[in-house]
Amino acid sequence: MSARRRWIVTIVAGAALALLLPHLGVPTFFVSLLTQTWIIAIAAMSLDLLIGFVGLVNFSQAALFGVGAYAVAIGATRFHITGFAGGLVCGMIAAVVTAALFGLVALRAEGPGFIIITIALNQIVWGLAYQWVSVSGGDNGITGITRPPLGPFDLSSNTAYYYVCLAAFALTLAILMTVVRSPYGLVLKGVRDTPRRMRALGYNVWLYRYSALLLSSVFAGTAGVLFAWYNQFVGPVDLSLDQSTQFLIVTILGGIGTIYGQLFGALVVIFLSNELSSITQRWMLVLGVIYFAIVLYAPGGLVVLVPRLWDRLRGKRVAVVPAEHP
Amino acid sequence: MRIIRSTCAFAVSLGVLCMLLPTPSRSASNAPIKVALLAATSGSAAAAGHDMVAGWTLYWSEHGNAVAGHPIVTTVYDTNSNAGHALDQARRAVEQDGAQMIVGPYLANEGLAVAPYGIEHRIPMFFPTVSADDLSQRQANSFIIKVAGWTSSQTTHVAGEWAYEQGYRRVMTLANSYVFGYENAGGFAQTFTRRGGKIVNQIWAPLGTTDYTPYISQVQAANPDALFVEMVGADAVHFLQQWSQLGLKNKIPLIANETTTDQSNIRTLDPALVEGITSFGHFAEGRDAPATRSFIEKYGKAEGVLPSYMATSFYTAAQWIGQALETVHGDVSDPGMLLRAVRDIKLSDSPFGPMVLDQYGAPIDNVYIRRVVATTGEAAKYAKTWNVVIKTYPHVSQFWTWKPSDYLKQPVYSPTFQGYTK
């Protein structure tokens, strides 16, 4: 099979499986976990745009995600913004505005400086959520968020909501894959690899980074909104540094600079953490060892590891294509 | 190669097997009763999680793990002290494992995250330690019962009254800046100021503070008649050490909330640091009553320490739910019937003392003024210090002396609402 045909077959089979899964008699809990996987994958893909294509390791992705979630929660419980479109727009705007402010501060630095500033920014937003009780509900978070209907469809059932998140995932994947292959995406890669040369060629490096951050925040905010509706609860943990780290782990495990790889990262992280915690009390330790092993033996991420294992299973020995590193 | 292939084959067959496992039917006459115990066995609240599981298991092992011929099957789900994870675990328990009731979790934010889910799926939820005021007040629901539990401000309402009666007029409060701290301090401040006392200043310290010196110096500078303090876990330990080291222990009287001098904290501290501290709680391990004494001895034999209020809550919750299951003959098919049975139980005595539920699902029970003293008798084998009862306020409601309808008109306690006008 040619590489291209293999790709098409994999995508069609994967899509068909994803569409049929809720009707194959799998337990509803698995449908819930998969719904969560689509949402986390959206957030991780938005982060991959920054890490893999602009070279910005953003530790405040959870803040963008969480601000989207809080916006829809506060909108629904305080201002009666209960529609699907209204909630979504609310969350996106909140995330973009936050990213616009973050960018002004964080993009003054590069490399480790950028990382430190984004960690601090994330902590500021977390602190607000934790302590500004009259707005955010503090440590208790906000409950009483109901899933709005999407046009004629009622989303209160797990299955209906599964399809909404699947569609959002597919749409995000398509948009981001198009963006990174567009001339704009090529400039981003240029900015990532040789910012000085790009500057010399007359590109406004800062503006490209800033615009990528804003674009990324649209999807991070969307994921936040979907997550708030999924849990019907928002709390400070959703925009904690732990959450940022989780996105980072998903992104790295999946394969940096691939966009689609984040789906595998999200699958592994969501399912492993949920399954392991029901087997052993030391699940965090086991999880850590697994992450460590993947990073050590498959530095390109699961997108490199999975096909390699597949070929080995079929007894084929193929040259390993080195992963593309930022 | 072969290893990888056989590993994959094994993994696949394991997965298929998991899906094929039959779901047990609920109709059988001795069908097991499935309980999901949500407890943080990892994360910041792991120590509390251990105590919760210990209390629950102690009761059921004493009673043969069965009720009316139905075996009780308890599965412990680790919440990782994280509200989001607690919700995931509740989903797993209900949707995958078919749990028929949820007991726990520990933290208020975990309970608030799980509550809407349980209500939506009509799963009875029993919260022995989740004390958030609103779960039995403005967000009360028939599916939520604080079985053998408490309400944060319930005990501190009493503390405010008592402080005024002791002659204190200018009091300062120091609490952690999260909901439990706001509710503890608010309950105190409201009753204390209603009697005519004055709150000099309220300090909020972030949860997880290790150095309390800057806060303690503020107290020293203001020199109030007394300090009301709310601390949990490691914060309590750090605060009590520094309070004593800075020489304030015998200068400014402390009015501590329940968790500050809980057995789980004072057992780690030198007796000199804690002896003589007055606190308020719905539990006192040194209460001189048969129900409490026999429980702490059993618990001491099993665990080698005196029980914390968390362990006691889960033991008593097991006793309470067990009695309710007896009255419905182990039939949990109708959650409404089970919930009614639980509400109708009245414990004439328990390790906490007598306990009944009000119509909002919160207990009406004793509140004790407690003092930390050296242990005596049997208890001395398991701990150096414990909380003994100085005075008992019987039959205390979460609404104290207010009419529920009046009380519920005011907002829940927060940094901006502490029950008095500044």
Side-chain angles (χ1 to χ4, degrees), chain A residues 28-30 32 36 131 133 139-140 143 230-233 237 274-275 277 283-284, chain B residues 1 5 78 80 82-83 87-89 91-92 95-96 109 112-113 120 177-179 182:
Chain A
T28 53
F29 180 64
F30 276 85
S32 294
Q36 204 174 334
Q131 305 220 339
V133 181
D139 189 40
N140 281 355
T143 50
Y230 166 71
N231 270 346
Q232 305 183 1
F233 156 79
V237 65
N274 273 285
E275 291 304 320
S277 65
W283 58 280
M284 301 272 251
Chain B
M1 214 64 53
R5 212 177 296 182
D78 179 14
N80 190 21
N82 171 324
L87 186 54
D88 279 343
Q89 295 289 40
R91 284 197 187 102
R92 164 191 295 281
E95 292 171 24
Q96 179 170 285
N109 58 11
L112 284 155
E120 193 188 321
S177 61
Y178 76 129
V179 174
Y182 306 144

mmCIF file of all heavy atoms in Angstrom, chain A residues 28-30 32 36 131 133 139-140 143 230-233 237 274-275 277 283-284, chain B residues 1 5 78 80 82-83 87-89 91-92 95-96 109 112-113 120 177-179 182:
data_model
loop_
_atom_site.group_PDB
_atom_site.id
_atom_site.type_symbol
_atom_site.label_atom_id
_atom_site.label_comp_id
_atom_site.label_asym_id
_atom_site.label_seq_id
_atom_site.Cartn_x
_atom_site.Cartn_y
_atom_site.Cartn_z
ATOM 1 N N THR A 28 -21.612 3.539 28.362
ATOM 2 C CA THR A 28 -21.725 4.991 28.227
ATOM 3 C C THR A 28 -20.523 5.697 28.830
ATOM 4 O O THR A 28 -20.180 6.793 28.414
ATOM 5 C CB THR A 28 -22.998 5.527 28.892
ATOM 6 O OG1 THR A 28 -23.027 5.051 30.231
ATOM 7 C CG2 THR A 28 -24.237 5.105 28.161
ATOM 8 N N PHE A 29 -19.882 5.038 29.804
ATOM 9 C CA PHE A 29 -18.717 5.675 30.406
ATOM 10 C C PHE A 29 -17.607 5.877 29.376
ATOM 11 O O PHE A 29 -16.917 6.890 29.380
ATOM 12 C CB PHE A 29 -18.211 4.834 31.575
ATOM 13 C CG PHE A 29 -17.018 5.417 32.263
ATOM 14 C CD1 PHE A 29 -17.114 6.635 32.911
ATOM 15 C CD2 PHE A 29 -15.799 4.773 32.246
ATOM 16 C CE1 PHE A 29 -16.012 7.193 33.536
ATOM 17 C CE2 PHE A 29 -14.700 5.316 32.869
ATOM 18 C CZ PHE A 29 -14.804 6.526 33.511
ATOM 19 N N PHE A 30 -17.471 4.916 28.452
ATOM 20 C CA PHE A 30 -16.463 5.052 27.410
ATOM 21 C C PHE A 30 -16.820 6.194 26.466
ATOM 22 O O PHE A 30 -15.948 6.911 25.996
ATOM 23 C CB PHE A 30 -16.304 3.740 26.636
ATOM 24 C CG PHE A 30 -15.385 2.786 27.316
ATOM 25 C CD1 PHE A 30 -15.853 1.946 28.308
ATOM 26 C CD2 PHE A 30 -14.036 2.747 26.996
ATOM 27 C CE1 PHE A 30 -15.000 1.087 28.962
ATOM 28 C CE2 PHE A 30 -13.178 1.889 27.653
ATOM 29 C CZ PHE A 30 -13.659 1.056 28.646
ATOM 30 N N SER A 32 -18.396 8.834 27.380
ATOM 31 C CA SER A 32 -18.020 10.038 28.136
ATOM 32 C C SER A 32 -16.532 10.316 28.011
ATOM 33 O O SER A 32 -16.113 11.444 27.769
ATOM 34 C CB SER A 32 -18.339 9.875 29.627
ATOM 35 O OG SER A 32 -19.691 9.795 29.837
ATOM 36 N N GLN A 36 -14.555 13.483 26.257
ATOM 37 C CA GLN A 36 -13.504 14.243 26.918
ATOM 38 C C GLN A 36 -12.229 14.245 26.065
ATOM 39 O O GLN A 36 -11.543 15.261 25.973
ATOM 40 C CB GLN A 36 -13.228 13.591 28.272
ATOM 41 C CG GLN A 36 -12.621 14.513 29.281
ATOM 42 C CD GLN A 36 -12.518 13.821 30.635
ATOM 43 O OE1 GLN A 36 -13.285 12.905 30.948
ATOM 44 N NE2 GLN A 36 -11.577 14.241 31.433
ATOM 45 N N GLN A 131 -9.747 33.229 44.169
ATOM 46 C CA GLN A 131 -9.988 34.176 45.253
ATOM 47 C C GLN A 131 -11.069 35.211 44.967
ATOM 48 O O GLN A 131 -11.578 35.823 45.905
ATOM 49 C CB GLN A 131 -8.684 34.896 45.594
ATOM 50 C CG GLN A 131 -7.581 33.905 45.912
ATOM 51 C CD GLN A 131 -6.721 34.330 47.060
ATOM 52 O OE1 GLN A 131 -6.672 35.497 47.395
ATOM 53 N NE2 GLN A 131 -6.046 33.400 47.691
ATOM 54 N N VAL A 133 -14.157 35.453 44.769
ATOM 55 C CA VAL A 133 -15.283 34.563 45.036
ATOM 56 C C VAL A 133 -16.592 35.088 44.460
ATOM 57 O O VAL A 133 -17.415 34.333 43.949
ATOM 58 C CB VAL A 133 -15.419 34.345 46.556
ATOM 59 C CG1 VAL A 133 -16.562 33.414 46.864
ATOM 60 C CG2 VAL A 133 -14.127 33.784 47.103
ATOM 61 N N ASP A 139 -13.098 28.519 45.298
ATOM 62 C CA ASP A 139 -12.727 27.119 45.298
ATOM 63 C C ASP A 139 -13.896 26.212 44.912
ATOM 64 O O ASP A 139 -13.715 25.146 44.346
ATOM 65 C CB ASP A 139 -12.262 26.804 46.726
ATOM 66 C CG ASP A 139 -11.649 25.444 46.826
ATOM 67 O OD1 ASP A 139 -10.921 25.081 45.900
ATOM 68 O OD2 ASP A 139 -11.911 24.753 47.812
ATOM 69 N N ASN A 140 -15.114 26.648 45.237
ATOM 70 C CA ASN A 140 -16.292 25.833 44.926
ATOM 71 C C ASN A 140 -16.598 25.794 43.439
ATOM 72 O O ASN A 140 -17.319 24.911 42.985
ATOM 73 C CB ASN A 140 -17.523 26.379 45.650
ATOM 74 C CG ASN A 140 -17.540 25.967 47.096
ATOM 75 O OD1 ASN A 140 -16.682 25.211 47.533
ATOM 76 N ND2 ASN A 140 -18.508 26.460 47.823
ATOM 77 N N THR A 143 -21.507 25.830 39.506
ATOM 78 C CA THR A 143 -22.330 24.704 39.059
ATOM 79 C C THR A 143 -23.621 25.251 38.465
ATOM 80 O O THR A 143 -23.868 26.450 38.496
ATOM 81 C CB THR A 143 -22.658 23.760 40.227
ATOM 82 O OG1 THR A 143 -23.154 24.545 41.299
ATOM 83 C CG2 THR A 143 -21.456 22.987 40.681
ATOM 84 N N TYR A 230 -19.630 19.949 29.091
ATOM 85 C CA TYR A 230 -19.467 18.505 29.318
ATOM 86 C C TYR A 230 -19.591 18.184 30.810
ATOM 87 O O TYR A 230 -20.372 17.339 31.213
ATOM 88 C CB TYR A 230 -18.108 18.067 28.782
ATOM 89 C CG TYR A 230 -17.643 16.708 29.227
ATOM 90 C CD1 TYR A 230 -18.254 15.556 28.747
ATOM 91 C CD2 TYR A 230 -16.588 16.574 30.129
ATOM 92 C CE1 TYR A 230 -17.834 14.303 29.158
ATOM 93 C CE2 TYR A 230 -16.161 15.332 30.537
ATOM 94 C CZ TYR A 230 -16.784 14.198 30.047
ATOM 95 O OH TYR A 230 -16.358 12.965 30.465
ATOM 96 N N ASN A 231 -18.835 18.898 31.644
ATOM 97 C CA ASN A 231 -18.847 18.649 33.088
ATOM 98 C C ASN A 231 -20.036 19.295 33.775
ATOM 99 O O ASN A 231 -20.392 18.918 34.870
ATOM 100 C CB ASN A 231 -17.577 19.216 33.727
ATOM 101 C CG ASN A 231 -16.459 18.210 33.760
ATOM 102 O OD1 ASN A 231 -16.686 17.023 33.542
ATOM 103 N ND2 ASN A 231 -15.263 18.682 34.037
ATOM 104 N N GLN A 232 -20.606 20.321 33.175
ATOM 105 C CA GLN A 232 -21.654 21.148 33.772
ATOM 106 C C GLN A 232 -21.169 21.719 35.100
ATOM 107 O O GLN A 232 -21.924 21.852 36.063
ATOM 108 C CB GLN A 232 -22.952 20.356 33.932
ATOM 109 C CG GLN A 232 -23.358 19.785 32.596
ATOM 110 C CD GLN A 232 -24.670 19.043 32.614
ATOM 111 O OE1 GLN A 232 -25.331 18.950 33.616
ATOM 112 N NE2 GLN A 232 -25.041 18.523 31.483
ATOM 113 N N PHE A 233 -19.895 22.004 35.130
ATOM 114 C CA PHE A 233 -19.230 22.493 36.334
ATOM 115 C C PHE A 233 -17.903 23.111 35.915
ATOM 116 O O PHE A 233 -17.236 22.580 35.038
ATOM 117 C CB PHE A 233 -19.010 21.318 37.293
ATOM 118 C CG PHE A 233 -17.887 21.518 38.255
ATOM 119 C CD1 PHE A 233 -18.072 22.308 39.373
ATOM 120 C CD2 PHE A 233 -16.644 20.945 38.035
ATOM 121 C CE1 PHE A 233 -17.033 22.515 40.251
ATOM 122 C CE2 PHE A 233 -15.601 21.153 38.906
ATOM 123 C CZ PHE A 233 -15.806 21.936 40.022
ATOM 124 N N VAL A 237 -9.544 24.338 39.166
ATOM 125 C CA VAL A 237 -8.660 23.272 38.674
ATOM 126 C C VAL A 237 -8.601 23.277 37.148
ATOM 127 O O VAL A 237 -7.604 22.892 36.547
ATOM 128 C CB VAL A 237 -9.129 21.908 39.238
ATOM 129 C CG1 VAL A 237 -10.498 21.529 38.727
ATOM 130 C CG2 VAL A 237 -8.144 20.826 38.907
ATOM 131 N N ASN A 274 -7.631 7.373 33.644
ATOM 132 C CA ASN A 274 -8.876 6.875 34.201
ATOM 133 C C ASN A 274 -8.839 5.388 34.511
ATOM 134 O O ASN A 274 -9.388 4.944 35.510
ATOM 135 C CB ASN A 274 -10.044 7.188 33.259
ATOM 136 C CG ASN A 274 -10.610 8.557 33.536
ATOM 137 O OD1 ASN A 274 -11.300 8.751 34.512
ATOM 138 N ND2 ASN A 274 -10.259 9.518 32.707
ATOM 139 N N GLU A 275 -8.209 4.620 33.631
ATOM 140 C CA GLU A 275 -8.178 3.174 33.855
ATOM 141 C C GLU A 275 -7.213 2.822 34.987
ATOM 142 O O GLU A 275 -7.540 2.033 35.867
ATOM 143 C CB GLU A 275 -7.750 2.441 32.577
ATOM 144 C CG GLU A 275 -8.776 2.510 31.466
ATOM 145 C CD GLU A 275 -10.141 1.992 31.901
ATOM 146 O OE1 GLU A 275 -10.201 0.983 32.638
ATOM 147 O OE2 GLU A 275 -11.159 2.628 31.528
ATOM 148 N N SER A 277 -6.218 4.544 37.506
ATOM 149 C CA SER A 277 -6.600 4.938 38.863
ATOM 150 C C SER A 277 -7.596 3.960 39.455
ATOM 151 O O SER A 277 -7.801 3.936 40.663
ATOM 152 C CB SER A 277 -7.150 6.361 38.871
ATOM 153 O OG SER A 277 -8.345 6.421 38.134
ATOM 154 N N TRP A 283 -1.284 5.029 40.793
ATOM 155 C CA TRP A 283 -1.459 5.216 39.353
ATOM 156 C C TRP A 283 -0.661 6.373 38.795
ATOM 157 O O TRP A 283 -0.209 6.323 37.652
ATOM 158 C CB TRP A 283 -2.928 5.374 39.032
ATOM 159 C CG TRP A 283 -3.615 6.505 39.720
ATOM 160 C CD1 TRP A 283 -4.076 6.504 40.997
ATOM 161 C CD2 TRP A 283 -3.935 7.782 39.175
ATOM 162 N NE1 TRP A 283 -4.661 7.706 41.292
ATOM 163 C CE2 TRP A 283 -4.586 8.515 40.190
ATOM 164 C CE3 TRP A 283 -3.740 8.382 37.937
ATOM 165 C CZ2 TRP A 283 -5.030 9.817 39.999
ATOM 166 C CZ3 TRP A 283 -4.186 9.675 37.746
ATOM 167 C CH2 TRP A 283 -4.823 10.370 38.775
ATOM 168 N N MET A 284 -0.419 7.394 39.640
ATOM 169 C CA MET A 284 0.345 8.545 39.160
ATOM 170 C C MET A 284 1.770 8.120 38.821
ATOM 171 O O MET A 284 2.354 8.590 37.852
ATOM 172 C CB MET A 284 0.388 9.629 40.227
ATOM 173 C CG MET A 284 -0.962 10.115 40.644
ATOM 174 S SD MET A 284 -1.515 11.458 39.610
ATOM 175 C CE MET A 284 -1.374 12.785 40.747
ATOM 176 N N MET B 1 10.046 -9.625 18.466
ATOM 177 C CA MET B 1 8.888 -9.582 17.566
ATOM 178 C C MET B 1 7.724 -10.366 18.149
ATOM 179 O O MET B 1 6.607 -9.886 18.250
ATOM 180 C CB MET B 1 9.293 -10.187 16.230
ATOM 181 C CG MET B 1 8.626 -9.535 15.062
ATOM 182 S SD MET B 1 9.130 -7.817 14.912
ATOM 183 C CE MET B 1 10.920 -8.027 14.911
ATOM 184 N N ARG B 5 4.064 -9.147 19.505
ATOM 185 C CA ARG B 5 2.826 -9.667 18.929
ATOM 186 C C ARG B 5 1.938 -10.299 20.005
ATOM 187 O O ARG B 5 0.751 -10.055 20.085
ATOM 188 C CB ARG B 5 3.155 -10.690 17.846
ATOM 189 C CG ARG B 5 2.122 -10.675 16.739
ATOM 190 C CD ARG B 5 2.483 -11.634 15.636
ATOM 191 N NE ARG B 5 3.728 -11.250 14.958
ATOM 192 C CZ ARG B 5 4.237 -11.929 13.918
ATOM 193 N NH1 ARG B 5 3.622 -13.001 13.467
ATOM 194 N NH2 ARG B 5 5.347 -11.534 13.350
ATOM 195 N N ASP B 78 -10.329 6.860 43.654
ATOM 196 C CA ASP B 78 -9.421 7.938 44.043
ATOM 197 C C ASP B 78 -9.795 9.225 43.310
ATOM 198 O O ASP B 78 -9.817 9.263 42.083
ATOM 199 C CB ASP B 78 -7.991 7.521 43.689
ATOM 200 C CG ASP B 78 -6.984 8.594 44.043
ATOM 201 O OD1 ASP B 78 -7.357 9.530 44.785
ATOM 202 O OD2 ASP B 78 -5.831 8.498 43.593
ATOM 203 N N ASN B 80 -8.032 11.996 43.686
ATOM 204 C CA ASN B 80 -6.801 12.758 43.481
ATOM 205 C C ASN B 80 -6.927 14.178 44.041
ATOM 206 O O ASN B 80 -6.255 15.089 43.571
ATOM 207 C CB ASN B 80 -6.486 12.779 41.978
ATOM 208 C CG ASN B 80 -5.121 13.338 41.659
ATOM 209 O OD1 ASN B 80 -4.248 13.366 42.529
ATOM 210 N ND2 ASN B 80 -4.933 13.810 40.447
ATOM 211 N N ASN B 82 -9.035 16.338 43.490
ATOM 212 C CA ASN B 82 -9.227 17.201 42.319
ATOM 213 C C ASN B 82 -10.689 17.086 41.898
ATOM 214 O O ASN B 82 -11.194 15.992 41.656
ATOM 215 C CB ASN B 82 -8.260 16.698 41.233
ATOM 216 C CG ASN B 82 -8.466 17.330 39.878
ATOM 217 O OD1 ASN B 82 -9.586 17.625 39.461
ATOM 218 N ND2 ASN B 82 -7.383 17.516 39.166
ATOM 219 N N ALA B 83 -11.369 18.244 41.822
ATOM 220 C CA ALA B 83 -12.810 18.234 41.564
ATOM 221 C C ALA B 83 -13.140 17.582 40.220
ATOM 222 O O ALA B 83 -14.086 16.804 40.110
ATOM 223 C CB ALA B 83 -13.355 19.661 41.610
ATOM 224 N N LEU B 87 -15.337 14.027 39.549
ATOM 225 C CA LEU B 87 -16.486 13.892 38.657
ATOM 226 C C LEU B 87 -16.286 12.731 37.678
ATOM 227 O O LEU B 87 -17.209 11.940 37.444
ATOM 228 C CB LEU B 87 -16.682 15.215 37.912
ATOM 229 C CG LEU B 87 -17.901 15.350 37.021
ATOM 230 C CD1 LEU B 87 -19.171 15.034 37.785
ATOM 231 C CD2 LEU B 87 -17.981 16.769 36.474
ATOM 232 N N ASP B 88 -15.082 12.596 37.138
ATOM 233 C CA ASP B 88 -14.791 11.461 36.252
ATOM 234 C C ASP B 88 -15.028 10.137 36.975
ATOM 235 O O ASP B 88 -15.578 9.201 36.407
ATOM 236 C CB ASP B 88 -13.316 11.496 35.807
ATOM 237 C CG ASP B 88 -13.101 12.455 34.656
ATOM 238 O OD1 ASP B 88 -14.096 12.836 34.015
ATOM 239 O OD2 ASP B 88 -11.933 12.814 34.402
ATOM 240 N N GLN B 89 -14.575 10.094 38.237
ATOM 241 C CA GLN B 89 -14.706 8.855 38.984
ATOM 242 C C GLN B 89 -16.169 8.555 39.300
ATOM 243 O O GLN B 89 -16.579 7.397 39.305
ATOM 244 C CB GLN B 89 -13.882 8.909 40.285
ATOM 245 C CG GLN B 89 -12.388 8.997 40.052
ATOM 246 C CD GLN B 89 -11.788 7.707 39.504
ATOM 247 O OE1 GLN B 89 -12.369 7.042 38.655
ATOM 248 N NE2 GLN B 89 -10.618 7.346 39.989
ATOM 249 N N ARG B 91 -18.646 9.328 37.373
ATOM 250 C CA ARG B 91 -19.171 8.799 36.110
ATOM 251 C C ARG B 91 -18.823 7.329 35.958
ATOM 252 O O ARG B 91 -19.647 6.516 35.580
ATOM 253 C CB ARG B 91 -18.550 9.553 34.928
ATOM 254 C CG ARG B 91 -19.120 10.905 34.717
ATOM 255 C CD ARG B 91 -18.744 11.384 33.311
ATOM 256 N NE ARG B 91 -19.150 12.757 33.165
ATOM 257 C CZ ARG B 91 -18.310 13.789 33.252
ATOM 258 N NH1 ARG B 91 -17.030 13.590 33.431
ATOM 259 N NH2 ARG B 91 -18.763 15.003 33.142
ATOM 260 N N ARG B 92 -17.546 7.021 36.226
ATOM 261 C CA ARG B 92 -17.122 5.632 36.108
ATOM 262 C C ARG B 92 -17.939 4.745 37.044
ATOM 263 O O ARG B 92 -18.433 3.694 36.643
ATOM 264 C CB ARG B 92 -15.637 5.492 36.465
ATOM 265 C CG ARG B 92 -15.212 4.062 36.753
ATOM 266 C CD ARG B 92 -13.826 4.011 37.346
ATOM 267 N NE ARG B 92 -12.853 4.487 36.386
ATOM 268 C CZ ARG B 92 -12.397 3.729 35.378
ATOM 269 N NH1 ARG B 92 -12.796 2.500 35.241
ATOM 270 N NH2 ARG B 92 -11.524 4.214 34.537
ATOM 271 N N GLU B 95 -21.803 4.845 35.688
ATOM 272 C CA GLU B 95 -22.093 4.373 34.332
ATOM 273 C C GLU B 95 -21.438 3.033 34.033
ATOM 274 O O GLU B 95 -21.995 2.212 33.319
ATOM 275 C CB GLU B 95 -21.629 5.421 33.307
ATOM 276 C CG GLU B 95 -22.468 6.677 33.371
ATOM 277 C CD GLU B 95 -21.900 7.805 32.521
ATOM 278 O OE1 GLU B 95 -21.168 7.533 31.563
ATOM 279 O OE2 GLU B 95 -22.199 8.977 32.848
ATOM 280 N N GLN B 96 -20.251 2.827 34.533
ATOM 281 C CA GLN B 96 -19.567 1.587 34.192
ATOM 282 C C GLN B 96 -19.759 0.506 35.234
ATOM 283 O O GLN B 96 -19.994 -0.642 34.907
ATOM 284 C CB GLN B 96 -18.076 1.854 34.007
ATOM 285 C CG GLN B 96 -17.311 0.588 33.674
ATOM 286 C CD GLN B 96 -15.904 0.898 33.254
ATOM 287 O OE1 GLN B 96 -15.657 1.364 32.160
ATOM 288 N NE2 GLN B 96 -14.961 0.643 34.147
ATOM 289 N N ASN B 109 -15.180 21.321 47.219
ATOM 290 C CA ASN B 109 -15.252 21.546 45.772
ATOM 291 C C ASN B 109 -15.499 20.240 45.020
ATOM 292 O O ASN B 109 -16.172 20.235 44.001
ATOM 293 C CB ASN B 109 -14.017 22.285 45.260
ATOM 294 C CG ASN B 109 -12.726 21.575 45.540
ATOM 295 O OD1 ASN B 109 -12.728 20.422 45.952
ATOM 296 N ND2 ASN B 109 -11.611 22.242 45.331
ATOM 297 N N LEU B 112 -19.274 19.592 45.415
ATOM 298 C CA LEU B 112 -20.080 20.477 44.577
ATOM 299 C C LEU B 112 -20.005 20.073 43.104
ATOM 300 O O LEU B 112 -20.955 20.269 42.351
ATOM 301 C CB LEU B 112 -19.610 21.922 44.750
ATOM 302 C CG LEU B 112 -20.088 22.546 46.062
ATOM 303 C CD1 LEU B 112 -19.168 23.664 46.488
ATOM 304 C CD2 LEU B 112 -21.509 23.055 45.916
ATOM 305 N N ALA B 113 -18.861 19.515 42.685
ATOM 306 C CA ALA B 113 -18.729 19.088 41.286
ATOM 307 C C ALA B 113 -19.540 17.828 41.024
ATOM 308 O O ALA B 113 -20.128 17.666 39.964
ATOM 309 C CB ALA B 113 -17.257 18.851 40.954
ATOM 310 N N GLU B 120 -28.731 14.434 38.484
ATOM 311 C CA GLU B 120 -29.199 14.139 37.131
ATOM 312 C C GLU B 120 -29.416 12.632 36.945
ATOM 313 O O GLU B 120 -30.355 12.213 36.280
ATOM 314 C CB GLU B 120 -28.160 14.659 36.137
ATOM 315 C CG GLU B 120 -28.650 14.712 34.700
ATOM 316 C CD GLU B 120 -27.516 15.060 33.741
ATOM 317 O OE1 GLU B 120 -26.683 15.916 34.105
ATOM 318 O OE2 GLU B 120 -27.465 14.459 32.660
ATOM 319 N N SER B 177 -8.002 31.335 52.784
ATOM 320 C CA SER B 177 -8.836 32.044 51.821
ATOM 321 C C SER B 177 -9.421 31.074 50.809
ATOM 322 O O SER B 177 -9.001 31.007 49.669
ATOM 323 C CB SER B 177 -8.058 33.150 51.130
ATOM 324 O OG SER B 177 -6.978 32.600 50.445
ATOM 325 N N TYR B 178 -10.344 30.286 51.292
ATOM 326 C CA TYR B 178 -11.182 29.479 50.401
ATOM 327 C C TYR B 178 -12.506 29.269 51.123
ATOM 328 O O TYR B 178 -12.682 29.708 52.259
ATOM 329 C CB TYR B 178 -10.500 28.191 49.963
ATOM 330 C CG TYR B 178 -10.424 27.072 50.983
ATOM 331 C CD1 TYR B 178 -10.845 25.791 50.632
ATOM 332 C CD2 TYR B 178 -9.942 27.284 52.269
ATOM 333 C CE1 TYR B 178 -10.776 24.750 51.545
ATOM 334 C CE2 TYR B 178 -9.870 26.249 53.168
ATOM 335 C CZ TYR B 178 -10.292 24.985 52.807
ATOM 336 O OH TYR B 178 -10.222 23.964 53.700
ATOM 337 N N VAL B 179 -13.436 28.602 50.440
ATOM 338 C CA VAL B 179 -14.813 28.620 50.907
ATOM 339 C C VAL B 179 -14.980 28.129 52.345
ATOM 340 O O VAL B 179 -15.703 28.726 53.131
ATOM 341 C CB VAL B 179 -15.690 27.830 49.924
ATOM 342 C CG1 VAL B 179 -17.085 27.699 50.456
ATOM 343 C CG2 VAL B 179 -15.687 28.544 48.592
ATOM 344 N N TYR B 182 -14.003 30.937 54.651
ATOM 345 C CA TYR B 182 -14.987 32.025 54.671
ATOM 346 C C TYR B 182 -16.205 31.642 55.505
ATOM 347 O O TYR B 182 -16.750 32.451 56.242
ATOM 348 C CB TYR B 182 -15.456 32.361 53.247
ATOM 349 C CG TYR B 182 -14.357 32.678 52.265
ATOM 350 C CD1 TYR B 182 -14.446 32.292 50.935
ATOM 351 C CD2 TYR B 182 -13.220 33.362 52.677
ATOM 352 C CE1 TYR B 182 -13.426 32.575 50.037
ATOM 353 C CE2 TYR B 182 -12.197 33.640 51.777
ATOM 354 C CZ TYR B 182 -12.303 33.244 50.460
ATOM 355 O OH TYR B 182 -11.293 33.514 49.582
#
